Coordinates of all heavy atoms in Angstrom, one line a residue:
M1 N 58.2 -43.1 146.9 CA 59.1 -44.2 146.9 C 60.3 -43.8 147.6 O 60.8 -42.7 147.4 CB 59.3 -44.7 145.5 CG 60.3 -45.9 145.5 SD 60.8 -46.6 143.9 CE 59.5 -46.2 142.8
K2 N 60.9 -44.7 148.4 CA 62.1 -44.5 149.1 C 63.1 -45.6 148.9 O 62.7 -46.7 148.5 CB 61.9 -44.3 150.6 CG 61.0 -43.1 150.9 CD 60.8 -42.9 152.4 CE 59.9 -41.7 152.7 NZ 60.7 -40.5 152.6
L3 N 64.4 -45.4 149.1 CA 65.4 -46.4 149.0 C 65.8 -46.7 150.4 O 66.2 -45.9 151.2 CB 66.6 -45.9 148.2 CG 67.9 -46.7 148.3 CD1 67.6 -48.1 147.7 CD2 69.0 -46.0 147.5
L4 N 65.8 -48.0 150.8 CA 66.2 -48.5 152.1 C 67.5 -49.3 151.9 O 67.5 -50.2 151.0 CB 65.1 -49.4 152.7 CG 65.5 -50.2 154.0 CD1 65.7 -49.2 155.1 CD2 64.5 -51.2 154.3
I5 N 68.5 -49.0 152.7 CA 69.8 -49.7 152.6 C 70.0 -50.3 154.0 O 70.0 -49.5 155.0 CB 70.9 -48.8 152.2 CG1 70.7 -48.2 150.8 CG2 72.2 -49.6 152.2 CD1 71.6 -47.2 150.4
I6 N 70.3 -51.5 154.1 CA 70.6 -52.2 155.4 C 72.0 -52.9 155.3 O 72.3 -53.6 154.3 CB 69.5 -53.2 155.7 CG1 68.2 -52.5 156.1 CG2 70.0 -54.1 156.9 CD1 67.1 -53.4 156.5
T7 N 72.8 -52.8 156.3 CA 74.0 -53.6 156.4 C 74.0 -54.4 157.7 O 73.4 -53.9 158.7 CB 75.3 -52.7 156.4 OG1 75.3 -51.9 157.5 CG2 75.4 -51.9 155.1
A8 N 74.5 -55.5 157.6 CA 74.6 -56.4 158.8 C 75.8 -57.3 158.7 O 76.3 -57.6 157.5 CB 73.3 -57.3 158.9
V9 N 76.3 -57.8 159.8 CA 77.4 -58.8 159.7 C 76.8 -60.0 159.0 O 75.6 -60.3 159.1 CB 78.0 -59.1 161.1 CG1 78.8 -57.9 161.6 CG2 77.0 -59.6 162.0
K10 N 77.6 -60.8 158.3 CA 77.1 -61.9 157.6 C 76.4 -62.9 158.4 O 75.4 -63.6 158.0 CB 78.3 -62.6 156.9 CG 78.0 -63.7 156.0 CD 77.4 -63.2 154.7 CE 77.2 -64.4 153.7 NZ 76.4 -64.0 152.6
D11 N 76.8 -63.0 159.7 CA 76.1 -64.0 160.6 C 74.6 -63.6 160.8 O 73.8 -64.4 161.3 CB 76.8 -64.0 162.0 CG 78.1 -64.6 161.9 OD1 78.4 -65.4 160.9 OD2 78.9 -64.5 162.9
Y12 N 74.2 -62.4 160.5 CA 72.8 -61.9 160.7 C 72.0 -61.9 159.4 O 70.9 -61.3 159.4 CB 72.8 -60.5 161.4 CG 73.2 -60.5 162.8 CD1 73.5 -59.2 163.4 CD2 73.4 -61.6 163.6 CE1 73.9 -59.1 164.7 CE2 73.8 -61.5 164.9 CZ 74.1 -60.3 165.5 OH 74.5 -60.2 166.8
E13 N 72.5 -62.5 158.4 CA 71.8 -62.5 157.1 C 70.4 -63.1 157.2 O 69.4 -62.5 156.8 CB 72.6 -63.2 156.0 CG 72.0 -63.1 154.7 CD 72.9 -63.7 153.6 OE1 73.9 -64.4 153.9 OE2 72.6 -63.4 152.4
K14 N 70.3 -64.3 157.8 CA 69.0 -64.9 157.9 C 68.0 -64.1 158.8 O 66.9 -64.0 158.5 CB 69.2 -66.4 158.5 CG 69.8 -67.3 157.5 CD 69.9 -68.7 158.0 CE 70.6 -69.6 157.0 NZ 70.8 -71.0 157.5
E15 N 68.6 -63.6 159.9 CA 67.7 -62.8 160.7 C 67.2 -61.5 160.0 O 66.0 -61.1 160.2 CB 68.5 -62.4 162.0 CG 68.7 -63.5 163.0 CD 69.9 -64.3 162.7 OE1 70.6 -64.1 161.6 OE2 70.3 -65.2 163.5
T16 N 68.0 -60.9 159.2 CA 67.6 -59.7 158.5 C 66.6 -60.1 157.5 O 65.6 -59.3 157.3 CB 68.9 -59.1 157.8 OG1 69.9 -58.8 158.7 CG2 68.5 -57.8 157.1
L17 N 66.7 -61.2 156.8 CA 65.6 -61.7 155.9 C 64.3 -61.9 156.6 O 63.2 -61.6 156.0 CB 66.1 -62.9 155.1 CG 67.2 -62.8 154.2 CD1 67.7 -64.1 153.7 CD2 66.9 -61.8 153.0
K18 N 64.3 -62.4 157.8 CA 63.1 -62.5 158.6 C 62.5 -61.2 158.9 O 61.2 -61.0 158.9 CB 63.4 -63.3 159.9 CG 63.7 -64.7 159.7 CD 64.1 -65.4 161.0 CE 64.6 -66.8 160.8 NZ 65.1 -67.4 162.1
L19 N 63.3 -60.2 159.1 CA 62.8 -58.8 159.3 C 62.1 -58.3 158.1 O 61.0 -57.6 158.2 CB 63.9 -57.9 159.8 CG 64.6 -58.3 161.1 CD1 65.7 -57.2 161.4 CD2 63.7 -58.5 162.2
F20 N 62.6 -58.5 156.9 CA 62.0 -58.1 155.7 C 60.6 -58.8 155.6 O 59.6 -58.1 155.2 CB 62.8 -58.5 154.5 CG 63.8 -57.5 154.1 CD1 65.1 -57.4 154.7 CD2 63.6 -56.6 153.1 CE1 66.0 -56.5 154.3 CE2 64.5 -55.6 152.7 CZ 65.7 -55.6 153.3
K21 N 60.5 -60.1 155.9 CA 59.3 -60.8 155.8 C 58.2 -60.2 156.8 O 57.1 -60.0 156.4 CB 59.5 -62.3 156.1 CG 58.3 -63.1 155.9 CD 58.6 -64.6 156.1 CE 57.4 -65.4 155.8 NZ 57.6 -66.9 155.9
K22 N 58.7 -59.9 158.0 CA 57.7 -59.4 159.0 C 57.2 -58.0 158.6 O 56.0 -57.7 158.8 CB 58.5 -59.2 160.4 CG 58.6 -60.4 161.1 CD 59.3 -60.1 162.5 CE 59.5 -61.4 163.3 NZ 60.2 -61.1 164.6
A23 N 58.0 -57.2 157.8 CA 57.6 -55.9 157.4 C 56.8 -56.0 156.0 O 56.4 -55.0 155.5 CB 58.8 -55.0 157.2
R24 N 56.7 -57.2 155.5 CA 55.9 -57.4 154.3 C 56.6 -56.8 153.1 O 55.9 -56.3 152.2 CB 54.5 -57.0 154.4 CG 53.8 -57.8 155.5 CD 52.4 -57.5 155.6 NE 51.9 -58.3 156.8 CZ 50.6 -58.5 157.0 NH1 49.7 -58.2 156.1 NH2 50.3 -59.2 158.0
I25 N 57.9 -56.7 153.1 CA 58.7 -56.3 152.0 C 59.1 -57.6 151.2 O 59.8 -58.4 151.7 CB 59.9 -55.5 152.4 CG1 59.5 -54.2 153.1 CG2 60.8 -55.2 151.2 CD1 60.6 -53.3 153.7
N26 N 58.6 -57.7 150.0 CA 58.7 -59.0 149.3 C 59.7 -58.9 148.2 O 59.9 -59.9 147.5 CB 57.3 -59.4 148.7 CG 56.3 -59.6 149.8 OD1 56.6 -60.2 150.8 ND2 55.1 -59.0 149.6
A27 N 60.4 -57.8 147.9 CA 61.4 -57.7 146.9 C 62.5 -56.8 147.4 O 62.3 -55.8 147.9 CB 60.8 -57.1 145.6
W28 N 63.7 -57.4 147.2 CA 65.0 -56.7 147.6 C 66.1 -57.2 146.8 O 66.0 -58.3 146.2 CB 65.2 -56.8 149.1 CG 65.4 -58.2 149.5 CD1 66.6 -58.8 149.5 CD2 64.5 -59.1 150.0 NE1 66.5 -60.1 150.0 CE2 65.1 -60.3 150.2 CE3 63.1 -59.0 150.2 CZ2 64.5 -61.4 150.7 CZ3 62.4 -60.2 150.6 CH2 63.1 -61.3 150.9
S29 N 67.3 -56.6 146.9 CA 68.5 -57.1 146.4 C 69.5 -57.2 147.5 O 69.4 -56.5 148.5 CB 69.1 -56.2 145.3 OG 68.2 -56.1 144.2
N30 N 70.5 -58.1 147.4 CA 71.5 -58.1 148.4 C 72.9 -58.5 147.8 O 72.9 -59.0 146.7 CB 71.2 -59.1 149.6 CG 71.3 -60.5 149.2 OD1 70.6 -61.0 148.2 ND2 72.2 -61.2 149.8
L31 N 73.9 -58.1 148.5 CA 75.2 -58.5 148.0 C 76.2 -58.6 149.2 O 75.9 -58.0 150.3 CB 75.8 -57.5 147.1 CG 75.9 -56.0 147.5 CD1 77.2 -55.4 147.0 CD2 74.7 -55.3 146.9
D32 N 77.1 -59.5 149.1 CA 78.2 -59.7 150.1 C 79.1 -58.5 150.0 O 79.6 -58.1 148.9 CB 78.9 -61.0 150.0 CG 78.0 -62.2 150.3 OD1 77.0 -62.0 151.0 OD2 78.3 -63.3 149.8
I33 N 79.5 -58.0 151.2 CA 80.5 -56.9 151.2 C 81.5 -57.1 152.4 O 81.2 -57.9 153.3 CB 79.8 -55.5 151.4 CG1 79.0 -55.5 152.7 CG2 78.9 -55.1 150.2 CD1 78.4 -54.1 153.0
N34 N 82.6 -56.4 152.3 CA 83.5 -56.5 153.4 C 83.6 -55.1 154.0 O 83.8 -54.1 153.3 CB 84.9 -56.8 152.9 CG 85.0 -58.3 152.4 OD1 84.5 -59.1 153.1 ND2 85.6 -58.5 151.3
G35 N 83.3 -55.0 155.3 CA 83.4 -53.8 156.0 C 84.8 -53.6 156.6 O 85.4 -54.6 157.1
F36 N 85.3 -52.4 156.5 CA 86.7 -52.1 157.1 C 86.6 -50.9 158.0 O 85.8 -50.0 157.8 CB 87.7 -51.8 155.9 CG 87.9 -53.0 155.0 CD1 87.1 -53.1 153.9 CD2 88.9 -53.9 155.3 CE1 87.4 -54.2 153.0 CE2 89.2 -54.9 154.4 CZ 88.4 -55.1 153.3
K37 N 87.4 -51.0 159.0 CA 87.7 -49.8 159.9 C 89.0 -50.0 160.6 O 89.5 -51.1 160.7 CB 86.5 -49.6 160.8 CG 86.4 -50.6 162.0 CD 85.3 -50.3 162.9 CE 85.3 -51.2 164.0 NZ 84.2 -50.9 165.0
T38 N 89.5 -48.9 161.1 CA 90.7 -49.0 161.8 C 90.4 -49.0 163.3 O 89.3 -48.6 163.7 CB 91.6 -47.7 161.5 OG1 90.9 -46.6 161.9 CG2 92.0 -47.7 160.0
A39 N 91.4 -49.4 164.1 CA 91.2 -49.5 165.5 C 91.1 -48.1 166.2 O 90.8 -48.1 167.4 CB 92.2 -50.4 166.2
D40 N 91.4 -47.1 165.5 CA 91.5 -45.7 166.2 C 90.1 -45.0 166.2 O 90.0 -43.9 166.5 CB 92.5 -44.8 165.5 CG 92.2 -44.5 164.1 OD1 91.3 -45.1 163.5 OD2 93.0 -43.7 163.5
T41 N 89.0 -45.7 165.9 CA 87.7 -45.2 166.0 C 87.3 -44.9 167.4 O 87.5 -45.7 168.3 CB 86.7 -46.2 165.4 OG1 87.1 -46.5 164.1 CG2 85.3 -45.6 165.4
E42 N 86.9 -43.6 167.7 CA 86.5 -43.2 169.0 C 85.3 -44.0 169.6 O 85.3 -44.4 170.7 CB 86.3 -41.7 169.1 CG 87.5 -40.9 168.9 CD 87.2 -39.4 169.0 OE1 86.2 -39.0 169.6 OE2 88.0 -38.6 168.4
N43 N 84.3 -44.1 168.8 CA 83.1 -44.8 169.3 C 82.9 -46.1 168.5 O 82.2 -46.1 167.5 CB 81.9 -43.8 169.1 CG 80.6 -44.4 169.5 OD1 80.6 -45.5 170.1 ND2 79.5 -43.7 169.3
L44 N 83.5 -47.2 169.0 CA 83.4 -48.4 168.3 C 82.0 -49.0 168.2 O 81.6 -49.5 167.1 CB 84.3 -49.5 169.0 CG 85.8 -49.2 169.0 CD1 86.5 -50.3 169.8 CD2 86.3 -49.2 167.6
I45 N 81.2 -48.8 169.2 CA 79.8 -49.4 169.1 C 79.0 -48.6 168.1 O 78.1 -49.1 167.4 CB 79.1 -49.3 170.5 CG1 79.9 -50.1 171.5 CG2 77.7 -49.8 170.5 CD1 79.6 -51.5 171.7
G46 N 79.2 -47.3 168.0 CA 78.4 -46.5 167.1 C 78.9 -46.5 165.6 O 78.3 -45.9 164.8
N47 N 80.0 -47.2 165.4 CA 80.5 -47.3 164.0 C 79.6 -48.1 163.1 O 78.8 -49.0 163.6 CB 81.9 -48.0 164.0 CG 82.7 -47.8 162.8 OD1 82.2 -48.2 161.7 ND2 83.8 -47.1 162.9
W48 N 79.6 -47.9 161.8 CA 78.7 -48.5 160.9 C 78.9 -50.0 160.9 O 77.9 -50.8 160.9 CB 79.0 -48.0 159.5 CG 78.0 -48.5 158.5 CD1 78.2 -49.5 157.6 CD2 76.6 -48.0 158.3 NE1 77.0 -49.6 156.8 CE2 76.1 -48.8 157.3 CE3 75.8 -47.1 158.9 CZ2 74.8 -48.6 156.8 CZ3 74.5 -46.9 158.5 CH2 74.0 -47.7 157.5
F49 N 80.1 -50.6 161.0 CA 80.3 -52.0 161.0 C 80.5 -52.5 162.4 O 80.4 -51.7 163.4 CB 81.5 -52.4 160.1 CG 81.2 -52.1 158.7 CD1 81.7 -51.0 158.0 CD2 80.5 -53.1 158.0 CE1 81.4 -50.8 156.7 CE2 80.1 -52.9 156.6 CZ 80.6 -51.7 156.0
S50 N 80.8 -53.7 162.6 CA 80.8 -54.3 163.9 C 81.9 -53.7 164.8 O 82.7 -52.9 164.3 CB 81.0 -55.8 163.8 OG 82.4 -56.1 163.5
S51 N 82.0 -54.1 166.0 CA 83.0 -53.6 167.0 C 84.4 -54.1 166.7 O 85.3 -53.6 167.3 CB 82.5 -53.9 168.4 OG 82.5 -55.3 168.6
A52 N 84.5 -55.1 165.9 CA 85.9 -55.7 165.7 C 86.6 -54.8 164.7 O 86.0 -54.5 163.7 CB 85.7 -57.1 165.2
A53 N 87.9 -54.5 164.9 CA 88.6 -53.8 164.0 C 89.0 -54.7 162.8 O 89.1 -55.9 162.9 CB 89.9 -53.2 164.6
G54 N 89.3 -54.1 161.6 CA 89.8 -54.9 160.5 C 88.6 -55.2 159.5 O 87.7 -54.5 159.4
N55 N 88.8 -56.3 158.9 CA 87.8 -56.8 157.8 C 86.7 -57.5 158.5 O 86.9 -58.4 159.2 CB 88.6 -57.7 156.9 CG 87.8 -58.2 155.7 OD1 86.6 -57.9 155.6 ND2 88.4 -58.9 154.9
V56 N 85.5 -57.1 158.1 CA 84.3 -57.8 158.7 C 83.4 -58.3 157.5 O 83.0 -57.5 156.6 CB 83.4 -56.8 159.5 CG1 82.2 -57.5 160.1 CG2 84.3 -56.2 160.6
N57 N 83.2 -59.6 157.4 CA 82.3 -60.1 156.4 C 80.9 -59.7 156.7 O 80.3 -59.9 157.8 CB 82.4 -61.7 156.4 CG 83.7 -62.1 155.9 OD1 84.3 -61.5 155.1 ND2 84.1 -63.3 156.4
S58 N 80.3 -59.0 155.7 CA 79.0 -58.4 155.9 C 78.1 -58.6 154.7 O 78.5 -59.1 153.7 CB 79.2 -56.8 156.1 OG 80.0 -56.6 157.3
V59 N 76.9 -58.2 154.8 CA 75.9 -58.3 153.8 C 75.2 -56.9 153.7 O 74.9 -56.3 154.7 CB 74.9 -59.5 153.9 CG1 74.1 -59.3 155.2 CG2 74.1 -59.7 152.7
M60 N 74.8 -56.5 152.5 CA 74.1 -55.3 152.3 C 72.8 -55.6 151.5 O 72.8 -56.4 150.5 CB 74.8 -54.2 151.5 CG 74.1 -52.9 151.4 SD 75.1 -51.6 150.6 CE 75.0 -52.1 148.9
F61 N 71.7 -55.1 152.0 CA 70.4 -55.3 151.3 C 69.9 -53.9 150.9 O 70.2 -52.9 151.6 CB 69.3 -55.8 152.3 CG 69.7 -57.2 152.9 CD1 70.4 -57.3 154.0 CD2 69.2 -58.3 152.2 CE1 70.7 -58.5 154.5 CE2 69.5 -59.6 152.8 CZ 70.2 -59.7 153.9
F62 N 69.2 -53.8 149.8 CA 68.5 -52.6 149.4 C 67.2 -52.9 148.7 O 67.1 -53.9 148.1 CB 69.4 -51.7 148.6 CG 69.9 -52.2 147.3 CD1 69.2 -51.9 146.1 CD2 71.0 -53.0 147.2 CE1 69.6 -52.4 144.9 CE2 71.4 -53.5 145.9 CZ 70.7 -53.2 144.8
T63 N 66.3 -52.0 148.9 CA 65.0 -52.1 148.3 C 64.4 -50.7 148.1 O 64.7 -49.8 148.8 CB 64.0 -53.0 149.2 OG1 62.8 -53.2 148.5 CG2 63.7 -52.3 150.5
F64 N 63.6 -50.7 147.0 CA 62.8 -49.5 146.8 C 61.3 -49.8 147.2 O 60.7 -50.8 146.6 CB 62.8 -49.1 145.3 CG 64.2 -48.7 144.8 CD1 65.0 -49.7 144.3 CD2 64.6 -47.4 144.9 CE1 66.3 -49.4 143.8 CE2 65.9 -47.1 144.5 CZ 66.7 -48.1 143.9
T65 N 60.8 -49.1 148.1 CA 59.4 -49.4 148.6 C 58.8 -48.2 149.2 O 59.4 -47.1 149.3 CB 59.4 -50.6 149.5 OG1 58.1 -51.0 149.8 CG2 60.1 -50.3 150.8
D66 N 57.6 -48.3 149.7 CA 56.9 -47.2 150.2 C 57.3 -47.0 151.7 O 57.7 -47.9 152.4 CB 55.4 -47.3 150.1 CG 54.8 -48.5 150.8 OD1 54.7 -48.5 152.0 OD2 54.5 -49.5 150.1
A67 N 57.0 -45.8 152.2 CA 57.4 -45.4 153.5 C 56.8 -46.2 154.6 O 57.4 -46.5 155.6 CB 57.1 -43.9 153.8
Q68 N 55.6 -46.6 154.5 CA 54.9 -47.4 155.5 C 55.6 -48.8 155.8 O 55.8 -49.2 156.9 CB 53.4 -47.7 155.1 CG 52.6 -48.4 156.2 CD 51.2 -48.6 155.8 OE1 50.8 -48.4 154.6 NE2 50.3 -48.9 156.7
K69 N 56.0 -49.4 154.7 CA 56.7 -50.7 154.9 C 58.1 -50.5 155.4 O 58.6 -51.3 156.3 CB 56.8 -51.4 153.5 CG 55.5 -52.0 153.1 CD 55.7 -52.7 151.8 CE 54.3 -53.3 151.4 NZ 54.4 -54.1 150.1
I70 N 58.7 -49.4 155.1 CA 60.1 -49.0 155.6 C 60.0 -48.8 157.1 O 60.8 -49.2 157.9 CB 60.7 -47.9 154.8 CG1 61.1 -48.4 153.5 CG2 61.9 -47.3 155.6 CD1 61.7 -47.3 152.5
D71 N 58.9 -48.0 157.5 CA 58.7 -47.7 158.9 C 58.6 -49.0 159.7 O 59.1 -49.2 160.8 CB 57.5 -46.8 159.1 CG 57.8 -45.4 158.7 OD1 59.0 -45.0 158.5 OD2 56.8 -44.7 158.5
A72 N 57.8 -50.0 159.2 CA 57.6 -51.3 159.8 C 59.0 -52.0 160.0 O 59.3 -52.6 161.0 CB 56.6 -52.1 159.1
L73 N 59.8 -52.0 158.9 CA 61.1 -52.7 159.0 C 62.0 -52.0 159.9 O 62.7 -52.7 160.7 CB 61.7 -52.7 157.6 CG 63.0 -53.5 157.5 CD1 62.8 -55.0 157.9 CD2 63.7 -53.4 156.2
L74 N 62.0 -50.7 160.0 CA 62.9 -50.0 160.9 C 62.5 -50.3 162.4 O 63.4 -50.4 163.2 CB 62.8 -48.5 160.7 CG 63.4 -48.0 159.4 CD1 63.2 -46.5 159.2 CD2 64.9 -48.4 159.2
E75 N 61.2 -50.5 162.6 CA 60.8 -50.9 164.0 C 61.3 -52.3 164.3 O 61.8 -52.5 165.4 CB 59.3 -50.8 164.1 CG 58.7 -49.4 164.2 CD 59.2 -48.7 165.4 OE1 59.3 -49.3 166.5 OE2 59.5 -47.5 165.3
E76 N 61.3 -53.2 163.3 CA 61.8 -54.5 163.5 C 63.3 -54.5 163.8 O 63.8 -55.2 164.6 CB 61.5 -55.4 162.3 CG 60.0 -55.7 162.1 CD 59.4 -56.5 163.2 OE1 60.1 -57.2 164.0 OE2 58.1 -56.4 163.4
V77 N 64.0 -53.7 163.0 CA 65.5 -53.6 163.2 C 65.8 -53.0 164.6 O 66.7 -53.5 165.3 CB 66.1 -52.7 162.1 CG1 67.5 -52.3 162.4 CG2 66.0 -53.4 160.7
K78 N 65.1 -52.0 165.0 CA 65.3 -51.4 166.3 C 65.1 -52.5 167.4 O 65.9 -52.6 168.3 CB 64.4 -50.2 166.6 CG 64.6 -49.5 167.9 CD 63.7 -48.3 168.1 CE 63.9 -47.6 169.4 NZ 64.4 -48.3 170.5
S79 N 64.0 -53.2 167.3 CA 63.7 -54.3 168.3 C 64.8 -55.3 168.3 O 65.3 -55.8 169.3 CB 62.4 -54.9 167.9 OG 62.1 -55.9 168.8
F80 N 65.3 -55.7 167.1 CA 66.3 -56.7 167.0 C 67.6 -56.2 167.7 O 68.2 -56.9 168.5 CB 66.6 -57.0 165.5 CG 67.8 -58.0 165.3 CD1 67.5 -59.4 165.4 CD2 69.1 -57.6 165.1 CE1 68.6 -60.3 165.2 CE2 70.1 -58.4 165.0 CZ 69.9 -59.8 165.0
N81 N 68.0 -55.0 167.4 CA 69.2 -54.4 168.0 C 69.0 -54.2 169.5 O 70.0 -54.4 170.2 CB 69.5 -53.0 167.3 CG 70.0 -53.2 165.9 OD1 70.4 -54.2 165.5 ND2 69.9 -52.1 165.1
D82 N 67.8 -53.8 170.0 CA 67.6 -53.6 171.4 C 67.8 -55.0 172.2 O 68.2 -55.0 173.3 CB 66.2 -53.1 171.7 CG 66.1 -51.6 171.3 OD1 67.2 -50.9 171.1 OD2 65.0 -51.1 171.3
D83 N 67.4 -56.1 171.5 CA 67.5 -57.4 172.1 C 68.9 -58.0 171.9 O 69.2 -59.1 172.5 CB 66.5 -58.3 171.6 CG 65.1 -57.9 172.0 OD1 64.9 -57.1 172.9 OD2 64.1 -58.3 171.3
G84 N 69.7 -57.4 171.1 CA 71.0 -58.0 170.7 C 72.1 -57.7 171.7 O 71.9 -57.2 172.8
D85 N 73.3 -58.1 171.3 CA 74.5 -58.0 172.1 C 75.1 -56.6 172.1 O 76.0 -56.3 172.9 CB 75.6 -59.0 171.7 CG 76.1 -58.9 170.3 OD1 75.8 -57.8 169.7 OD2 76.7 -59.8 169.8
G86 N 74.7 -55.7 171.2 CA 75.2 -54.4 171.1 C 76.5 -54.2 170.3 O 76.9 -53.1 170.1
Y87 N 77.1 -55.3 170.0 CA 78.4 -55.2 169.3 C 78.3 -55.3 167.7 O 79.1 -54.8 167.0 CB 79.3 -56.4 169.7 CG 79.8 -56.2 171.1 CD1 79.3 -57.0 172.1 CD2 80.7 -55.2 171.5 CE1 79.7 -56.9 173.4 CE2 81.1 -55.0 172.8 CZ 80.6 -55.9 173.8 OH 81.0 -55.7 175.1
N88 N 77.2 -55.9 167.3 CA 77.0 -56.0 165.8 C 75.6 -55.6 165.4 O 74.8 -56.5 164.9 CB 77.3 -57.5 165.4 CG 78.7 -57.8 165.6 OD1 79.6 -57.2 165.1 ND2 78.9 -58.9 166.4
P89 N 75.2 -54.4 165.6 CA 73.8 -54.0 165.3 C 73.6 -54.1 163.8 O 74.5 -53.9 163.0 CB 73.7 -52.6 165.9 CG 75.1 -52.1 165.9 CD 75.9 -53.3 166.2
I90 N 72.3 -54.3 163.4 CA 71.9 -54.1 162.0 C 71.8 -52.6 161.8 O 71.2 -51.9 162.6 CB 70.6 -54.9 161.7 CG1 70.8 -56.4 161.9 CG2 70.1 -54.5 160.3 CD1 69.6 -57.2 161.8
R91 N 72.3 -52.1 160.7 CA 72.2 -50.7 160.4 C 71.3 -50.4 159.2 O 71.3 -51.2 158.3 CB 73.6 -50.1 160.1 CG 74.6 -50.3 161.1 CD 74.3 -49.5 162.3 NE 75.4 -49.5 163.3 CZ 75.5 -48.8 164.4 NH1 74.5 -48.0 164.7 NH2 76.5 -49.0 165.2
A92 N 70.5 -49.4 159.3 CA 69.6 -49.1 158.2 C 69.6 -47.6 157.9 O 69.6 -46.8 158.9 CB 68.2 -49.6 158.6
I93 N 69.5 -47.2 156.7 CA 69.3 -45.8 156.3 C 68.2 -45.8 155.2 O 67.9 -46.7 154.5 CB 70.6 -45.2 155.8 CG1 71.1 -45.8 154.5 CG2 71.6 -45.1 156.8 CD1 72.2 -45.1 153.8
V94 N 67.5 -44.6 155.2 CA 66.5 -44.4 154.2 C 66.8 -43.1 153.4 O 67.1 -42.1 154.0 CB 65.1 -44.2 154.9 CG1 64.0 -44.0 153.9 CG2 64.8 -45.4 155.8
L95 N 66.7 -43.2 152.1 CA 66.9 -42.1 151.2 C 65.7 -41.8 150.4 O 65.0 -42.7 149.9 CB 68.1 -42.4 150.3 CG 69.4 -42.7 151.0 CD1 70.4 -43.2 150.0 CD2 70.0 -41.5 151.7
D96 N 65.3 -40.5 150.2 CA 64.2 -40.2 149.3 C 64.7 -40.3 147.9 O 65.9 -40.0 147.6 CB 63.8 -38.7 149.6 CG 63.0 -38.6 150.9 OD1 62.3 -39.5 151.2 OD2 63.2 -37.5 151.5
I97 N 63.8 -40.7 147.0 CA 64.1 -40.8 145.6 C 63.5 -39.5 145.0 O 62.3 -39.4 144.9 CB 63.5 -42.1 145.0 CG1 64.0 -43.3 145.7 CG2 63.8 -42.1 143.5 CD1 65.5 -43.5 145.7
E98 N 64.4 -38.7 144.5 CA 63.9 -37.4 143.9 C 63.5 -37.7 142.4 O 62.6 -37.1 141.9 CB 65.0 -36.4 144.0 CG 65.2 -35.9 145.4 CD 66.2 -34.8 145.5 OE1 66.4 -34.0 144.5 OE2 66.9 -34.7 146.5
K99 N 64.4 -38.4 141.7 CA 64.1 -38.7 140.3 C 64.5 -40.1 140.0 O 65.4 -40.7 140.6 CB 64.9 -37.8 139.4 CG 64.6 -36.3 139.5 CD 65.5 -35.5 138.6 CE 65.2 -34.0 138.8 NZ 66.0 -33.2 137.9
S100 N 63.9 -40.7 139.0 CA 64.3 -42.0 138.5 C 63.9 -42.1 137.0 O 63.1 -41.4 136.5 CB 63.6 -43.1 139.3 OG 62.2 -43.1 139.1
V101 N 64.6 -43.0 136.4 CA 64.3 -43.3 134.9 C 64.0 -44.8 134.8 O 64.7 -45.6 135.3 CB 65.6 -42.9 134.1 CG1 65.3 -43.2 132.6 CG2 65.9 -41.4 134.2

């Protein structure tokens, strides 16, 4: 089992949910978050939040699922980002679960 965490600007919430559906991930949690960064970031496009400095209304999703479904979702995220404007990519990370109770 792995933990998948995704962040996106709030405007991409519906699109992100569609990506979960395409990857056949049927259970997740989400919460509204505010992303912050200063304008002195060297690589604005590569930053975790959007290219705009300051407060960014965002959403975070997380799910515990198997690697195969995560791989499918990551492919969908990559495709979405490749087709997008490049300023507000969806970001995803995967963490191994070593222990749980």
Side-chain angles (χ1 to χ4, degrees):
M1 180 185 330
K2 295 182 181 282
L3 169 62
L4 171 69
I5 301 172
I6 291 182
T7 63
V9 294
K10 186 71 174 169
D11 290 344
Y12 290 166
E13 184 172 16
K14 288 181 182 178
E15 289 83 353
T16 304
L17 292 173
K18 289 176 187 176
L19 301 181
F20 272 85
K21 186 175 181 178
K22 284 183 180 180
R24 298 181 186 203
I25 296 175
N26 299 318
W28 64 86
S29 298
N30 74 299
L31 57 140
D32 291 337
I33 58 174
N34 290 314
F36 294 92
K37 72 176 182 179
T38 61
D40 62 352
T41 303
E42 289 182 24
N43 181 4
L44 294 176
I45 302 270
N47 196 299
W48 187 257
F49 291 102
S50 77
S51 61
N55 182 0
V56 179
N57 292 329
S58 302
V59 63
M60 183 173 79
F61 299 88
F62 63 95
T63 186
F64 297 92
T65 191
D66 62 75
Q68 185 177 12
K69 288 182 179 180
I70 288 175
D71 289 343
L73 183 65
L74 293 177
E75 286 298 318
E76 294 294 337
V77 168
K78 182 178 181 332
S79 178
F80 178 87
N81 289 341
D82 288 347
D83 293 341
D85 61 14
Y87 292 107
N88 297 303
I90 295 173
R91 301 292 186 174
I93 62 168
V94 179
L95 302 170
D96 288 323
I97 304 300
E98 292 183 28
K99 297 180 183 181
S100 66
V101 176

